[in-house]
Amino acid sequence: MDADDILALTDRLLADHDPSDRIAFRGAQYDMGLAWVYFPEGFGGLGAEAKLQRVVDERLRDANVRYVEIGWNGFGLFLAAPTIVAHAQPDTKARLLQPLFTGEEIWCQLFSEPGSGSDLASLATRAVRDGDEWVVNGQKVWNTLAHMADRGMLVARTDPDVPKHRGLTYFALDMHAPGVEVRPLRQITGEAEFNEVYMTDVRVPDADRVGDVGDGWRVSMTTLMNERVTIGGAVAARESGPIGELMGVWRGLPEERRDTVARDAVTRLWIEAEVLRLTNIRAGQNRKAGIAGPEGSVSKLAFAEVNKRIYSEAINLLGPEGVLIDHYDFVRPESANLTGGLDIRKMFLRARANSIEGGTSEILRNILGERILGLPGEPRTDKALPWKDVPR
């Protein structure tokens, strides 16, 4: 199937269905294989090349078809969907993918724990088999927008007698199931975008398992690689996002405050942001050509560190005005603000989380050092031990 075929299908979608009815329209888009054209037929795709998805997206954009609320479900569209299509059983794919795409089911991510942040494989949330169900007990933390979620990408320990990487299983958790409790985590911005999720004797059908029992580590790596690309790999317009906000502050300064030292700092950050943007363009082209490179981890690491420097410089330029945040009222937001959207002073605070979420900067440096540069790995004395025997 080529670009002309997909364009013709998209035109038929627009002719036969009303975009104002989001659920019906996106349901039809899914059924026609135009949700993710590179997914298999029957699961929202056509088995086409990934680059052809742009044909659909651009045609819908030209027709002014935009769904702001779908942004709530970034975890579903960009993390859960590629994980489900790669690892779930056919009946599970068929059941989960369409409501995910239409936005009828919002997703969150349930990976990190209070004692297992950067070392995900050491997690302690247990899932014990009971017939055709699993009984889950444990706690997850830093769960973005979990207060809005219908489903959660849950990794739990199903076998404590094997090494930590081998005893994990991945589930699609019903966030409305009895025993699931979501508690807000108030951040330094005053918002509670993050949450804690407690699970007490939660029953999860085995039909909601994604991947084989004990294969949760491999399945979760699919999620994490997509997360890093999603967070750090977006290709924005030149001088948009955080660097655009910094340039807005710079241009609004009185001439006497635009000295050579400040100009040099802003110029360096503009260059860093542009290099990152061009790296993301190259990475996107490589992915479309089927070349898996390290750019996902590189981009996520660079995104986090450059963002923090950009907002720090913006506060420096604002001077005393940089501390005048209007309020710290407790708010439970409906979207995650990674690249702007809040007052620039709050973005300075929010950007602190960029180097933690989606893989800490320290872990990403380890990944790049060991897997790309071939440097010696850190000593891991617990890697071959059964999880239950690892000191905690």
Side-chain angles (χ1 to χ4, degrees):
M1 182 163 285
D2 61 18
D4 289 339
D5 296 326
I6 289 176
L7 183 60
L9 271 178
T10 308
D11 285 338
R12 197 172 87 204
L13 169 69
L14 288 165
D16 294 347
H17 301 278
D18 181 3
S20 65
D21 185 344
R22 170 181 49 90
I23 292 175
F25 184 85
R26 288 179 71 88
Q29 184 179 346
Y30 179 92
D31 291 339
M32 294 174 70
L34 301 173
W36 304 277
V37 298
Y38 47 94
F39 279 18
E41 292 187 43
F43 301 112
L46 298 167
E49 294 180 85
K51 65 182 181 182
L52 294 177
Q53 185 64 42
R54 179 176 293 181
V55 175
V56 180
D57 296 342
E58 290 180 352
R59 181 68 186 92
L60 294 181
R61 190 160 49 247
D62 290 344
N64 204 32
V65 178
R66 291 177 174 85
Y67 299 112
V68 175
E69 65 270 28
I70 293 299
W72 299 346
N73 205 20
F75 287 94
L77 293 169
F78 305 125
L79 277 63
T83 304
I84 292 165
V85 81
H87 298 286
Q89 293 295 318
D91 58 339
T92 306
K93 295 178 192 179
R95 186 162 42 85
L96 295 178
L97 284 172
Q98 181 156 346
L100 181 161
F101 182 73
T102 61
E104 293 170 271
E105 289 188 348
I106 307 300
W107 285 68
C108 69
Q109 188 177 6
L110 304 172
F111 278 29
S112 295
E113 297 182 8
S116 303
S118 297
D119 185 10
L120 174 63
S122 68
L123 62 85
T125 293
R126 287 293 312 276
V128 178
R129 189 80 181 249
D130 182 17
D132 291 333
E133 296 181 315
W134 296 81
V135 180
V136 178
N137 285 277
Q139 177 190 358
K140 298 292 181 174
V141 73
W142 313 124
N143 311 119
T144 305
L145 303 182
H147 56 285
M148 298 178 60
D150 303 296
R151 288 275 184 179
M153 295 168 270
L154 171 68
V155 185
R157 186 161 304 283
T158 50
D159 188 350
D161 297 319
V162 297
K164 59 184 182 181
H165 291 84
R166 288 165 42 199
L168 304 175
T169 302
Y170 195 113
F171 300 94
L173 176 70
D174 179 357
M175 295 294 290
H176 305 297
V180 178
E181 180 185 3
V182 180
R183 301 181 188 175
L185 275 178
R186 189 169 183 176
Q187 296 145 241
I188 56 175
T189 59
E191 297 187 338
E193 173 191 322
F194 298 145
N195 300 270
E196 296 175 290
V197 176
Y198 292 82
M199 291 156 285
T200 306
D201 294 331
V202 179
R203 290 193 166 267
V204 180
D206 187 59
D208 285 347
R209 173 169 46 83
V210 178
D212 294 335
V213 175
D215 201 28
W217 179 255
R218 187 171 70 93
V219 179
S220 67
M221 288 302 101
T222 300
T223 304
L224 289 174
M225 290 306 297
N226 280 282
E227 181 179 27
R228 287 162 188 164
V229 171
T230 300
I231 291 176
V235 178
R238 176 176 287 180
E239 206 174 290
S240 63
I243 192 61
E245 294 186 348
L246 175 61
M247 296 308 297
V249 171
W250 169 256
R251 294 181 180 119
L253 288 177
E255 187 63 37
E256 64 271 14
R257 288 173 58 186
R258 286 195 265 174
D259 57 46
T260 54
V261 174
R263 181 178 288 106
D264 181 67
V266 171
T267 302
R268 287 175 182 272
L269 288 167
W270 192 96
I271 292 170
E272 286 188 60
E274 182 63 9
V275 168
L276 175 58
R277 193 181 75 87
L278 295 174
T279 298
N280 289 340
I281 292 173
R282 185 181 68 220
Q285 292 170 342
N286 286 343
R287 286 193 297 273
K288 289 172 185 175
I291 303 169
E295 290 93 351
S297 294
V298 170
S299 296
K300 198 281 168 179
L301 173 61
F303 167 85
E305 300 304 319
V306 171
N307 253 18
K308 290 195 294 184
R309 290 197 291 273
I310 285 172
Y311 285 116
S312 293
E313 184 58 31
I315 296 301
N316 288 340
L317 294 177
L318 288 171
E321 295 177 29
V323 301
L324 298 179
I325 293 179
D326 53 355
H327 67 84
Y328 287 102
D329 295 346
F330 176 70
V331 177
R332 302 206 78 182
E334 295 184 344
S335 62
N337 292 293
L338 273 65
T339 58
L342 295 176
D343 178 89
I344 200 165
R345 300 159 185 83
K346 287 200 172 184
M347 285 307 303
F348 165 74
L349 299 175
R350 175 61 181 82
R352 306 301 101 185
N354 292 165
S355 57
I356 301 172
E357 57 201 347
T360 66
S361 292
E362 291 77 14
I363 288 296
L364 290 172
R365 290 188 180 99
N366 279 357
I367 290 172
L368 294 170
E370 295 174 18
R371 301 182 191 175
I372 307 303
L373 302 179
L375 300 175
E378 291 186 355
R380 294 176 173 88
T381 58
D382 63 348
K383 194 169 183 179
L385 286 176
W387 177 84
K388 66 180 182 180
D389 296 335
V390 176
R392 278 179 290 280

